[in-house]
CSV table of all heavy atoms in Angstrom, one decimal:
chain,number,residue,atom,x,y,z
F,545,CYS,N,-10.8,9.6,-19.4
F,545,CYS,CA,-11.8,10.7,-19.4
F,545,CYS,C,-12.7,10.7,-18.2
F,545,CYS,O,-12.7,9.5,-17.4
F,545,CYS,CB,-12.8,10.7,-20.7
F,545,CYS,SG,-13.7,9.3,-20.7
F,546,ASP,N,-13.3,11.8,-17.7
F,546,ASP,CA,-14.1,11.8,-16.5
F,546,ASP,C,-15.4,10.9,-16.6
F,546,ASP,O,-15.8,10.3,-15.7
F,546,ASP,CB,-14.5,13.3,-16.2
F,546,ASP,CG,-15.2,13.4,-15.0
F,546,ASP,OD1,-14.5,13.1,-13.9
F,546,ASP,OD2,-16.4,13.8,-14.9
F,547,GLN,N,-15.8,10.8,-18.0
F,547,GLN,CA,-17.1,9.8,-18.1
F,547,GLN,C,-16.9,8.6,-17.6
F,547,GLN,O,-17.9,7.9,-17.1
F,547,GLN,CB,-17.5,10.1,-19.6
F,547,GLN,CG,-18.8,9.2,-19.9
F,547,GLN,CD,-20.0,9.7,-19.2
F,547,GLN,OE1,-20.1,11.0,-18.9
F,547,GLN,NE2,-20.9,8.8,-18.9
F,548,ILE,N,-15.8,7.9,-17.9
F,548,ILE,CA,-15.5,6.5,-17.5
F,548,ILE,C,-15.5,6.5,-16.1
F,548,ILE,O,-15.9,5.4,-15.5
F,548,ILE,CB,-14.2,5.9,-18.2
F,548,ILE,CG1,-14.1,4.4,-18.1
F,548,ILE,CG2,-13.0,6.6,-17.7
F,548,ILE,CD1,-15.3,3.7,-18.9
F,549,TRP,N,-15.0,7.5,-15.4
F,549,TRP,CA,-14.8,7.4,-13.9
F,549,TRP,C,-16.3,7.5,-13.4
F,549,TRP,O,-16.6,7.0,-12.3
F,549,TRP,CB,-13.9,8.6,-13.4
F,549,TRP,CG,-12.6,8.3,-13.4
F,549,TRP,CD1,-11.6,8.9,-14.2
F,549,TRP,CD2,-11.9,7.4,-12.5
F,549,TRP,NE1,-10.3,8.4,-13.9
F,549,TRP,CE2,-10.5,7.6,-12.9
F,549,TRP,CE3,-12.2,6.6,-11.4
F,549,TRP,CZ2,-9.5,6.7,-12.3
F,549,TRP,CZ3,-11.3,5.8,-10.9
F,549,TRP,CH2,-9.9,6.0,-11.2
F,550,LEU,N,-17.0,8.4,-14.0
F,550,LEU,CA,-18.6,8.6,-13.6
F,550,LEU,C,-19.3,7.3,-13.7
F,550,LEU,O,-20.0,6.8,-12.8
F,550,LEU,CB,-19.2,9.7,-14.4
F,550,LEU,CG,-20.7,10.0,-14.0
F,550,LEU,CD1,-20.7,10.4,-12.6
F,550,LEU,CD2,-21.2,11.0,-15.0
F,551,GLU,N,-19.0,6.5,-14.9
F,551,GLU,CA,-19.7,5.3,-15.0
F,551,GLU,C,-19.3,4.3,-13.9
F,551,GLU,O,-20.2,3.5,-13.4
F,551,GLU,CB,-19.4,4.7,-16.3
F,551,GLU,CG,-20.1,5.6,-17.4
F,551,GLU,CD,-19.6,5.0,-18.8
F,551,GLU,OE1,-19.0,4.0,-18.9
F,551,GLU,OE2,-19.9,5.7,-19.9
F,552,LEU,N,-18.0,4.2,-13.6
F,552,LEU,CA,-17.5,3.3,-12.7
F,552,LEU,C,-18.0,3.7,-11.2
F,552,LEU,O,-18.5,2.8,-10.5
F,552,LEU,CB,-15.9,3.3,-12.6
F,552,LEU,CG,-15.3,2.4,-11.5
F,552,LEU,CD1,-15.5,0.9,-11.9
F,552,LEU,CD2,-13.8,2.6,-11.4
F,553,LYS,N,-18.0,4.9,-10.9
F,553,LYS,CA,-18.7,5.4,-9.6
F,553,LYS,C,-20.1,4.9,-9.5
F,553,LYS,O,-20.6,4.6,-8.4
F,553,LYS,CB,-18.5,6.8,-9.4
F,553,LYS,CG,-18.9,7.4,-8.1
F,553,LYS,CD,-18.4,8.8,-7.8
F,553,LYS,CE,-19.2,9.7,-8.8
F,553,LYS,NZ,-18.8,11.1,-8.3
F,554,LEU,N,-20.9,5.1,-10.6
F,554,LEU,CA,-22.2,4.7,-10.5
F,554,LEU,C,-22.5,3.1,-10.4
F,554,LEU,O,-23.4,2.7,-9.7
F,554,LEU,CB,-23.1,5.2,-11.8
F,554,LEU,CG,-23.1,6.8,-11.9
F,554,LEU,CD1,-23.7,7.1,-13.3
F,554,LEU,CD2,-23.9,7.2,-10.8
F,555,ARG,N,-21.5,2.5,-11.1
F,555,ARG,CA,-21.7,1.0,-11.1
F,555,ARG,C,-21.1,0.4,-9.6
F,555,ARG,O,-21.6,-0.6,-9.2
F,555,ARG,CB,-20.9,0.4,-12.1
F,555,ARG,CG,-20.6,-1.1,-12.2
F,555,ARG,CD,-21.8,-1.9,-12.4
F,555,ARG,NE,-21.6,-3.3,-12.4
F,555,ARG,CZ,-21.6,-4.1,-11.3
F,555,ARG,NH1,-21.7,-3.6,-10.2
F,555,ARG,NH2,-21.4,-5.4,-11.5
F,556,GLN,N,-20.2,1.1,-9.0
F,556,GLN,CA,-19.6,0.7,-7.8
F,556,GLN,C,-19.6,1.9,-6.7
F,556,GLN,O,-18.7,2.6,-6.4
F,556,GLN,CB,-18.0,0.4,-7.9
F,556,GLN,CG,-17.7,-0.5,-9.1
F,556,GLN,CD,-18.0,-2.0,-8.8
F,556,GLN,OE1,-18.6,-2.2,-7.7
F,556,GLN,NE2,-17.7,-2.9,-9.7
F,557,PRO,N,-20.9,2.1,-6.2
F,557,PRO,CA,-21.1,3.3,-5.4
F,557,PRO,C,-20.3,3.4,-4.1
F,557,PRO,O,-20.2,4.4,-3.5
F,557,PRO,CB,-22.7,3.2,-5.1
F,557,PRO,CG,-23.0,1.7,-5.3
F,557,PRO,CD,-22.0,1.3,-6.4
F,558,ARG,N,-19.8,2.2,-3.6
F,558,ARG,CA,-19.1,2.3,-2.4
F,558,ARG,C,-17.5,2.3,-2.6
F,558,ARG,O,-16.7,2.2,-1.6
F,558,ARG,CB,-19.4,1.0,-1.6
F,558,ARG,CG,-20.9,0.9,-1.1
F,558,ARG,CD,-21.0,-0.2,-0.2
F,558,ARG,NE,-22.5,-0.2,0.4
F,558,ARG,CZ,-23.0,-1.1,1.2
F,558,ARG,NH1,-22.2,-2.0,1.7
F,558,ARG,NH2,-24.2,-1.0,1.7
F,559,LEU,N,-17.1,2.3,-3.7
F,559,LEU,CA,-15.8,2.4,-4.2
F,559,LEU,C,-15.1,3.6,-3.6
F,559,LEU,O,-15.7,4.7,-3.7
F,559,LEU,CB,-15.6,2.3,-5.8
F,559,LEU,CG,-14.1,2.6,-6.3
F,559,LEU,CD1,-13.2,1.6,-5.8
F,559,LEU,CD2,-14.1,2.8,-7.6
F,560,TRP,N,-13.8,3.5,-3.1
F,560,TRP,CA,-13.1,4.7,-2.7
F,560,TRP,C,-11.7,4.5,-3.3
F,560,TRP,O,-11.2,3.5,-3.4
F,560,TRP,CB,-13.2,5.0,-1.2
F,560,TRP,CG,-12.4,4.0,-0.4
F,560,TRP,CD1,-13.1,2.8,0.1
F,560,TRP,CD2,-11.2,4.1,0.2
F,560,TRP,NE1,-12.1,2.3,1.0
F,560,TRP,CE2,-11.0,2.9,1.1
F,560,TRP,CE3,-10.1,5.0,0.1
F,560,TRP,CZ2,-9.8,2.7,1.8
F,560,TRP,CZ3,-8.9,4.7,0.7
F,560,TRP,CH2,-8.8,3.6,1.6
F,561,VAL,N,-11.2,5.7,-3.7
F,561,VAL,CA,-9.9,5.7,-4.5
F,561,VAL,C,-8.8,6.4,-3.7
F,561,VAL,O,-9.1,7.4,-3.1
F,561,VAL,CB,-10.1,6.3,-5.8
F,561,VAL,CG1,-8.8,6.5,-6.7
F,561,VAL,CG2,-11.1,5.6,-6.7
F,562,GLU,N,-7.6,5.9,-3.8
F,562,GLU,CA,-6.4,6.5,-3.1
F,562,GLU,C,-5.5,6.9,-4.3
F,562,GLU,O,-5.1,5.9,-5.0
F,562,GLU,CB,-5.7,5.5,-2.2
F,562,GLU,CG,-4.5,6.2,-1.6
F,562,GLU,CD,-3.7,5.3,-0.5
F,562,GLU,OE1,-4.6,4.7,0.2
F,562,GLU,OE2,-2.7,5.3,-0.5
F,563,LEU,N,-5.2,8.2,-4.4
F,563,LEU,CA,-4.4,8.7,-5.6
F,563,LEU,C,-3.0,9.2,-4.9
F,563,LEU,O,-3.0,9.9,-4.1
F,563,LEU,CB,-5.0,9.9,-6.3
F,563,LEU,CG,-6.1,9.5,-7.4
F,563,LEU,CD1,-6.6,10.8,-7.9
F,563,LEU,CD2,-5.4,8.7,-8.4
F,564,GLU,N,-2.0,8.7,-5.6
F,564,GLU,CA,-0.6,9.2,-5.2
F,564,GLU,C,0.1,9.7,-6.6
F,564,GLU,O,0.2,9.0,-7.5
F,564,GLU,CB,0.2,8.2,-4.6
F,564,GLU,CG,1.7,8.6,-4.3
F,564,GLU,CD,2.6,7.5,-3.6
F,564,GLU,OE1,2.0,6.6,-3.1
F,564,GLU,OE2,3.8,7.5,-3.9
F,565,LEU,N,0.4,11.0,-6.6
F,565,LEU,CA,1.0,11.7,-7.6
F,565,LEU,C,2.5,11.8,-7.3
F,565,LEU,O,2.8,12.6,-6.5
F,565,LEU,CB,0.4,13.0,-8.1
F,565,LEU,CG,-0.9,13.0,-8.9
F,565,LEU,CD1,-2.1,12.2,-8.1
F,565,LEU,CD2,-1.4,14.4,-9.3
F,566,ASP,N,3.3,11.1,-8.1
F,566,ASP,CA,4.7,11.1,-7.9
F,566,ASP,C,5.4,12.3,-8.4
F,566,ASP,O,4.9,12.9,-9.4
F,566,ASP,CB,5.3,9.8,-8.6
F,566,ASP,CG,6.8,9.6,-8.2
F,566,ASP,OD1,7.2,9.3,-7.1
F,566,ASP,OD2,7.5,9.9,-9.1
F,567,HIS,N,6.6,12.6,-7.9
F,567,HIS,CA,7.3,13.8,-8.4
F,567,HIS,C,7.8,13.7,-9.9
F,567,HIS,O,8.2,14.7,-10.4
F,567,HIS,CB,8.5,14.1,-7.6
F,567,HIS,CG,9.6,13.1,-7.6
F,567,HIS,ND1,9.5,11.9,-7.1
F,567,HIS,CD2,10.7,13.1,-8.3
F,567,HIS,CE1,10.7,11.2,-7.4
F,567,HIS,NE2,11.4,11.9,-8.1
F,568,THR,N,7.8,12.4,-10.4
F,568,THR,CA,8.2,12.2,-11.9
F,568,THR,C,7.1,12.4,-12.9
F,568,THR,O,7.4,12.7,-13.9
F,568,THR,CB,8.7,10.8,-12.0
F,568,THR,OG1,7.5,9.9,-11.7
F,568,THR,CG2,10.0,10.5,-11.1
F,569,LEU,N,5.9,12.6,-12.3
F,569,LEU,CA,4.8,13.0,-13.3
F,569,LEU,C,4.9,14.4,-13.7
F,569,LEU,O,5.0,15.3,-13.0
F,569,LEU,CB,3.4,12.8,-12.5
F,569,LEU,CG,2.1,13.1,-13.2
F,569,LEU,CD1,1.9,12.1,-14.3
F,569,LEU,CD2,0.9,13.2,-12.2
F,570,PRO,N,4.9,14.6,-14.9
F,570,PRO,CA,5.0,15.9,-15.6
F,570,PRO,C,3.8,16.8,-15.1
F,570,PRO,O,2.8,16.5,-15.0
F,570,PRO,CB,5.0,15.8,-17.1
F,570,PRO,CG,5.5,14.3,-17.2
F,570,PRO,CD,5.0,13.6,-16.2
F,571,GLU,N,4.2,18.0,-14.8
F,571,GLU,CA,3.2,18.9,-14.2
F,571,GLU,C,2.0,19.2,-15.2
F,571,GLU,O,0.9,19.4,-14.6
F,571,GLU,CB,3.9,20.4,-14.0
F,571,GLU,CG,3.0,21.3,-13.2
F,571,GLU,CD,3.6,22.7,-12.9
F,571,GLU,OE1,4.9,22.7,-13.2
F,571,GLU,OE2,3.1,23.4,-12.4
F,572,LEU,N,2.2,19.2,-16.4
F,572,LEU,CA,1.0,19.4,-17.3
F,572,LEU,C,0.1,18.3,-17.3
F,572,LEU,O,-1.0,18.3,-17.8
F,572,LEU,CB,1.6,19.6,-18.7
F,572,LEU,CG,2.5,18.6,-19.4
F,572,LEU,CD1,1.5,17.6,-20.2
F,572,LEU,CD2,3.4,19.2,-20.3
F,573,HIS,N,0.5,17.1,-16.8
F,573,HIS,CA,-0.4,15.9,-16.7
F,573,HIS,C,-1.3,15.9,-15.5
F,573,HIS,O,-2.2,15.0,-15.3
F,573,HIS,CB,0.4,14.7,-16.9
F,573,HIS,CG,0.9,14.4,-18.3
F,573,HIS,ND1,0.2,13.8,-19.3
F,573,HIS,CD2,2.0,14.8,-18.9
F,573,HIS,CE1,1.0,13.7,-20.4
F,573,HIS,NE2,2.0,14.3,-20.2
F,574,VAL,N,-0.9,16.7,-14.5
F,574,VAL,CA,-1.7,16.6,-13.3
F,574,VAL,C,-3.1,17.0,-13.3
F,574,VAL,O,-3.9,16.2,-12.8
F,574,VAL,CB,-0.9,17.6,-12.1
F,574,VAL,CG1,-1.6,17.5,-10.9
F,574,VAL,CG2,0.4,17.1,-11.9
F,575,PRO,N,-3.4,18.1,-14.1
F,575,PRO,CA,-4.9,18.4,-14.1
F,575,PRO,C,-5.7,17.2,-14.8
F,575,PRO,O,-6.7,16.9,-14.4
F,575,PRO,CB,-5.0,19.5,-14.9
F,575,PRO,CG,-3.6,20.3,-14.7
F,575,PRO,CD,-2.7,19.1,-14.6
F,576,GLY,N,-5.1,16.6,-15.7
F,576,GLY,CA,-5.8,15.3,-16.3
F,576,GLY,C,-6.0,14.2,-15.5
F,576,GLY,O,-6.9,13.3,-15.7
Side-chain angles (χ1 to χ4, degrees):
C545 64
D546 188 60
Q547 180 61 32
I548 194 70
W549 279 110
L550 180 60
E551 293 176 11
L552 181 64
K553 186 169 67 172
L554 293 175
R555 171 70 176 82
Q556 312 279 7
R558 296 188 177 182
L559 169 67
W560 65 275
V561 176
E562 179 175 322
L563 275 178
E564 178 182 328
L565 279 65
D566 186 74
H567 70 278
T568 61
L569 179 68
E571 186 176 359
L572 59 91
H573 289 272
V574 174

